[in-house]
Amino acid sequence: MIDYNDTIAKDFAVMLNLELDNLKSMLLEKNRMYGDSALHPIRMFSKATAGEQILVRIDDKLSRVASGVADIEDVILDLTGYLILLMMHKRIHGLNTRLG
């Protein structure tokens, strides 16, 4: 993980790039492991849209936070990733940025 006490990481742009690189690596790794299932689900059981499925995943993460059964660092990264995926989904489908 990132050590903000490191003198190199004192600069906002450096810290931002480190966080974004970490997020990007996580999303690329999950996409490699699971395929493009977030944006193009196989719909074997659920017929919900990709956007609805992403919203359900966000709800599940927030539920774990509310019940106190989640590592907050992982949850923050996962939630940020799901929000990025939601933005990508909305742009792909020409949807506005409102939820729902």
Side-chain angles (χ1 to χ4, degrees):
M1 201 32 91
I2 300 166
D3 180 9
Y4 285 126
N5 293 323
D6 188 313
T7 55
I8 295 172
K10 300 282 186 199
D11 181 68
F12 176 81
V14 171
M15 291 188 302
L16 178 62
N17 283 326
L18 289 170
E19 293 293 350
L20 292 174
D21 287 346
N22 189 33
L23 176 64
K24 181 179 177 182
S25 294
M26 184 266 302
L27 286 171
L28 289 171
E29 177 62 17
K30 286 191 176 190
N31 189 268
R32 186 191 65 74
M33 289 178 5
Y34 304 118
D36 199 13
S37 63
L39 296 176
H40 300 99
I42 60 171
R43 292 190 177 85
M44 190 173 288
F45 292 104
S46 173
K47 302 302 179 205
T49 67
E52 281 298 317
Q53 290 183 21
I54 293 168
L55 291 173
V56 168
R57 292 173 185 170
I58 292 169
D59 282 347
D60 288 345
K61 281 289 174 184
L62 291 172
S63 177
R64 289 186 202 120
V65 170
S67 64
V69 294
D71 174 17
I72 196 67
E73 191 72 23
D74 289 339
V75 169
I76 291 169
L77 188 61
D78 283 346
L79 281 172
T80 306
Y82 286 132
L83 292 170
I84 294 291
L85 291 170
L86 183 60
M87 290 171 59
M88 291 169 64
H89 168 76
K90 289 187 174 280
R91 289 193 203 295
I92 287 168
H93 297 284
L95 303 171
N96 64 37
T97 54
R98 289 185 16 213
L99 293 178

